[in-house]
Amino acid sequence: MLAAATFLMAAAAQTAPAPTPAANAEVERRARDVVSILSGQGDYDAIFAPSFRTAVPRAQFDAIGAQLSQALGKPTGVEAVQPTGPWSARIRIGYDRGILNADLAIDPNGAHPITGLLTRGVDARGPVAATTDAVVEQVAALPGHSGLALAKLGSGAPQLVKSHDASTPLAIGSAFKLVVLAELVRSIEAGERKWSDVVTLDGSALPGGGYAQQPKGTRVPFRELAERMISVSDNSATDILLFHLGRQKVEAMLPVVGMTDAAPRNVPFLGTLEMFKLKGVEGGALGSKYLALPIAQRRAFLDGPVRDTTIAAIPKTLFQDGKPLRVEQIEWFASPNDLVRTMDWLRRHFDGPAGADLRAVLSKNPGLPEPATNWRYVGYKGGSEPGVLTMTFLLQGKDGNWYVLSSGVNDPTKDVDTLRFTGLMGRALELAAPR
């Protein structure tokens, strides 16, 4: 349940004389060679230096290329080469449905093989918004239902700067993990726990993630679990934290952090493995039984039949066809305003006993490859599944002021255009930064 992906191939720094037209020509030639390789042509061993081939074998490169082609279509050529050094450049490679940004470095000696290629995200094709108002309009025009809130934070309630349907709840995917983090922060500030305290795994079944295969008795610090839950959206870390902290204590944090627009829909507060079982077991039959129950009986159903259903009953192909599954019924829900208030609650605790680690946990993954160009601080949590995509950024401008940008899209009929949405969020971050 991740909002976006960045492909890291390799990177290397080069020190060389001042750039020359000949050097620039070599960089451009190698940029065209990258397109050839991504198209399934060219001589990999001749184009890339031995150091690069050691770090990124041909099979690994081809797998990355296949992922790019699946998302963007066929490569169409080099669209721009902007020198960044004597033997390096930022390049833009065109695809049918988008543009790949990458940093390219070549050896200044010999045949000038490529020594570094680091992707910097993709841009969807389409009109480039010139203003934040234009971004809002384009978000509003996306298929399905969308919402957006850009708010300035201060000592009082967040003040909306730009918005579109900001008070309507949406399914938010893994952004629910911010509430789990908030309960951990509350408990640390109350003196009930410390970041360094450890959880001892009891052998309970866990969803996919870094701890799913760890043996019973493994000890994991809260700090590590929280960082993995937020930075890589580790579902196993999330369920460990949720059930160790206590489902009902996490539920009690919903109104505390400001999740008021959709609070009743999040009780009982689902774990990730529970959600997978409800959506996937017996073609969704388990979820149908759950939804047919009165709210008061659902907690017992989760703690009984759902808990006792084995992981093996979840189809291995769950979510792989890209078709939305009950995104309006079985999910976690929040409006953009809810997520703004939640991020503001977390920001207000940066100066408390849990603050230094909290600040670091939220900023480990900035959400987009380079969102911090015009921002002093970027905290982030996103979420996704087929038909669901949300991104929420906690931002401090270079003028010291704080903001939150939160936006999401739900489409119960088809998957969300990730490239288009993430491109709009990147543009919004660029335009909204205080100058």
Side-chain angles (χ1 to χ4, degrees), residues 125-212:
R125 293 199 182 277
V128 177
T131 65
T132 51
D133 284 333
V135 171
V136 174
E137 290 175 1
Q138 291 181 28
V139 168
L142 293 171
H145 187 83
S146 61
L148 180 147
L150 172 64
K152 186 175 182 180
L153 310 181
S155 58
Q159 300 299 307
L160 283 177
V161 178
K162 302 290 180 183
S163 67
H164 158 63
D165 212 357
S167 61
T168 299
L170 296 166
I172 59 171
S174 287
F176 83 91
K177 296 169 184 178
L178 291 171
V179 187
V180 181
L181 177 64
E183 166 55 19
L184 177 58
V185 169
R186 184 211 61 77
S187 69
I188 292 171
E189 294 194 337
E192 300 167 8
R193 297 178 175 84
K194 297 189 286 289
W195 286 108
S196 58
D197 288 347
V198 300
V199 176
T200 301
L201 302 189
D202 62 4
S204 298
L206 292 169
Y211 307 98

Side-chain angles (χ1 to χ4, degrees), residues 11 30 36 59 95-96 130-131 213 238 247 340 394 405 433:
R30 287 309 189 189
S36 296
Y95 279 76
D96 292 334
T131 65
Q213 303 302 321
T238 302
R247 190 201 304 270
V340 166
L394 173 62
L405 171 66

